[in-house]
């Protein structure tokens, strides 16, 4: 009798497992449509692969809507800004506003030598690259991000110098501890440019790369 009961219980358990395996949940008509969007903010999907998205999600940046690759990389300016024209509507701005700031709409003088090298005796070089950029966004003195006016013939070309080997030690054969060895470090300056705030052009100081120097990390 006990053998038959055991066999019966085994069969019941088998059928229950089979039913659970083959059963499929019914689709929910009111399932949230933003699930895929949420997943895409976490994963990058390609053919046959799925990897974690290591970039900074848009919502993790400041809520000022100025988003760009340079800002994600920790720089103080944006060469391009997502939805720049939609955000600025520069094509709708009164031409008199452009005329008011016409002295700003020009390029800085570009040096003949594009790659600069700073080296003192006994030190390794701090290589830097000098070029003209047309930033569409930049960080202000009070750490806010502003949209810079760049439109048609009204462009502000800014000469910048950026480290190519920032963080590299610039002392040769130093006996100092690694943490105390001077390193190549990016320096910045504040430059007055024409920005757009609430549809109105105005002058503001923004932070831009200036030089690459050998300095102690704490300075």
């Amino acid at each position: 009798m006990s053998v038959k009961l055991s066999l019966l219980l085994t069969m019941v358990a088998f059928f229950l497992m089979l039913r659970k395996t083959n059963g499929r949940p019914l689709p929910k008509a009111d399932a949230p449509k933003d699930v895929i969007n949420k997943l895409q903010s976490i994963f990058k999907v390609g053919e046959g692969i799925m990897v974690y998205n290591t970039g900074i999600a848009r919502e993790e940046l400041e809520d000022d809507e100025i988003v760009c690759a340079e800002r994600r990389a920790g720089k103080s300016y944006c060469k391009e800004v997502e939805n720049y024209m939609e955000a600025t509507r520069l094509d709708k701005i009164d031409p008199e506003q452009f005329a008011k700031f016409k002295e700003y709409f020009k390029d800085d003088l570009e040096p003949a030598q594009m790659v600069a090298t700073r080296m003192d005796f006994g030190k390794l070089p701090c290589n830097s690259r000098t070029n003209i950029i047309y930033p569409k966004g930049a960080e202000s003195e009070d750490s806010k991000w502003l949209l810079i006016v760049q439109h048609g013939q009204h462009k502000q070309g800014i000469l910048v110098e950026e480290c190519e080997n920032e963080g590299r030690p610039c002392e040769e054969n130093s006996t100092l501890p690694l943490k105390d060895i001077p390193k190549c470090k990016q320096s910045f300056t504040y430059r007055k440019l024409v920005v757009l705030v609430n549809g109105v052009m105005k002058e503001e100081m923004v932070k831009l790369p200036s030089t690459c120097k050998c300095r102690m990390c704490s300075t």
Side-chain angles (χ1 to χ4, degrees), residues 67-75 77-82:
V67 183
C68 69
E70 291 83 11
R71 184 176 179 183
R72 291 188 179 105
K75 294 188 177 183
Y77 67 88
C78 290
K79 287 184 178 179
E80 295 293 337
V81 173
E82 297 177 15

Side-chain angles (χ1 to χ4, degrees), residues 90 93-106 149 151 153-156 194 196 200-203:
L90 287 170
I93 296 292
D94 189 335
E96 291 185 0
Q97 285 203 54
F98 289 102
K100 182 179 178 182
F101 299 101
K102 62 181 180 180
E103 68 272 15
Y104 286 90
F105 300 121
K106 59 184 179 181
V149 176
H151 181 60
Q153 300 300 315
H154 304 95
K155 292 186 176 181
Q156 303 173 82
V194 180
L196 196 69
V200 178
M201 292 186 193
K202 59 186 297 187
E203 300 165 321

